[in-house]
Amino acid sequence: MKLYNIKDNSEQVNFQQAVKQGLGRGQGLFFPKEITPLDNIDALLKMNLVDRSTEILSHLIGDELSKEVLHSIVSKAFTFDAPVKKVTDNINALELFHGPTLAFKDFGGRFMAQCLAEFKGDDKITILTATSGDTGAAVAHAFFNMENINVVILYPKGKISPLQEKLFCTLGGNITTVAIEGTFDDCQTMVKQAFDDQELKQAVGLNSANSINISRLLAQICYYFEALAQLSAAQRNNLVVSVPSGNFGDLTAGLLAKSLGLPIKRFIAATNENDTVPRYLEEGTWTPKATVATISNAMDVSQPNNWPRIEELFKIQGWSLSELGYGMLNDAQTRASLLELDNLGYLCEPHGAIAYAELTKQLKEDETGLFLCTAHPAKFKESVEDILGRDIFIPEELASRANLDLLSKEFPADFAMVRALLMSL
Ligand SMILES: *Cc1c(COP(=O)(O)O)cnc(C)c1O
């Protein structure tokens, strides 16, 4: 697989290099040079998740990884289901939260960890990642106890849910977590600074596991196929998919799936009040505002770092951005949507509820809708219980960590301190 740096097309790498490097020169994102459509979609949709995903990933990655190795990577990474649940006659939910950390980021995080373990040989590497919650948990669990890999996770102090924090800040071992006095964007900026610091990068073998890593995007393509495999041919015919978006990795993966020939009619990019993209699509100007805290905090991102990939893909495919649906919900509207879903008998959480609300607004009569449920409701227990006025069930993965002590360090948003920490590991 050949990839190029969007910011500097002369920088070209293979899959292994892209996975290890994360970002290219000048913080440029890597993008596949060729996206050849699959010619056996119907046959693929009849396979099981692991076999089908192996085929799709092998098609994309090529002979850098043999099918046998890829099959073993995929079967270690995708150890859980992604069921489609019927919500109304023409709307379905794709539940992506049945992995070990109860969010869709388990797909990308676990696939990336397995790829890195395959590629790194005897080298020591340090994973540095910024999280607004779910990435951190997925990455921490995916790499926990892996040999010669240190993981450092930065997150905005007080801006992620307490249970969420317990999920990944209680592991210890090769996982170091740092609560930063600042926003998610501050954390992301420091990660970018670290990658620009050549001396640091060399010294610690720096690698990012953010959604900028191409391996995560490739893994996420697979669950769009899994969703369509569970729908009838009639439902697939006129399918609209609504994606709750923060850094826009999930939507990028969906658009890549469509580029591979998966029949998805159109997508809706649904955000919370951090609506840089909806405003951009509406007004044509890119004007990020300061990030605001919302109840869908995994999407509290005002400078979504995957957006350049989406623009690149639209350009390559000759699609117009006017074909992309969009919309944003404030917290009050998110609450109302969550209640509406509950009345329909579907327990959801704020991120999925945002995608659902935009879908109901934009779905036409003859279309089938699918919205992505990116996290288990229990991960957002406090707000879900507050909105519904009743207690909800907490699965064992979360319950078992709730009483453990937090092991996080606390830092101001000061790159020098993060740098010193990285050097000390
Ligand atoms: C990360 C996350 C999102 C946003 O996904 P992106 O790929 O960053 O757009 C949405 N919902 C939940 C629960 C998340 O953890």
Side-chain angles (χ1 to χ4, degrees), residues 334 338 341 347-354 372-378 380 384:
T334 306
L338 205 130
L341 279 163
L347 178 63
C348 200
E349 53 70 52
H351 304 81
I354 287 179
L372 270 48
C373 290
T374 43
H376 192 290
F380 296 90
V384 174

Side-chain angles (χ1 to χ4, degrees), residues 131 133 136-137 140 153 155 160 164-171 177:
T131 184
I153 298 171
Y155 64 98
I160 68 175
Q164 177 117 281
E165 193 173 13
K166 290 278 183 168
L167 192 51
F168 72 100
C169 301
T170 53
L171 290 168
T177 52

Side-chain angles (χ1 to χ4, degrees), residues 104-105 134 244-250 298-299 351 374-375 380:
F104 81 95
K105 293 191 173 79
D134 292 334
S245 297
N247 256 324
F248 282 77
D250 210 348
M299 311 197 308
H351 304 81
T374 43
F380 296 90

Side-chain angles (χ1 to χ4, degrees), residues 159-216:
K159 295 196 176 73
I160 68 175
S161 88
L163 264 180
Q164 177 117 281
E165 193 173 13
K166 290 278 183 168
L167 192 51
F168 72 100
C169 301
T170 53
L171 290 168
N174 62 333
I175 313 295
T176 305
T177 52
V178 188
I180 298 288
E181 286 153 19
T183 62
F184 171 68
D185 288 319
D186 292 329
C187 299
Q188 195 154 273
T189 302
M190 288 194 283
V191 168
K192 286 185 178 166
Q193 271 175 291
F195 278 91
D196 268 354
D197 185 331
Q198 296 307 324
E199 189 194 331
L200 175 70
K201 222 166 125 179
Q202 288 297 321
V204 304
L206 209 54
N207 194 298
S208 163
N210 275 358
S211 54
I212 47 184
N213 195 287
I214 194 71
S215 61
R216 296 187 32 157

Side-chain angles (χ1 to χ4, degrees), residues 276-346:
T276 308
V277 167
R279 285 185 295 108
Y280 173 66
L281 293 171
E282 178 74 30
E283 297 157 9
T285 52
W286 187 261
T287 47
K289 298 179 187 164
T291 312
V292 294
T294 72
I295 55 170
S296 50
N297 58 44
M299 311 197 308
D300 289 352
V301 183
S302 57
Q303 313 219 33
N305 58 16
N306 270 301
W307 186 256
R309 282 187 169 130
I310 292 186
E311 294 235 353
E312 188 78 1
L313 187 56
F314 270 75
K315 204 170 70 190
I316 291 169
Q317 298 290 329
W319 298 337
S320 160
L321 277 177
S322 63
E323 293 162 32
L324 184 59
Y326 58 89
M328 80 88 156
L329 266 73
N330 63 27
D331 278 357
Q333 294 164 325
T334 306
R335 285 195 171 86
S337 174
L338 205 130
L339 275 170
E340 183 182 323
L341 279 163
D342 193 52
N343 285 332
L344 290 166
Y346 189 72

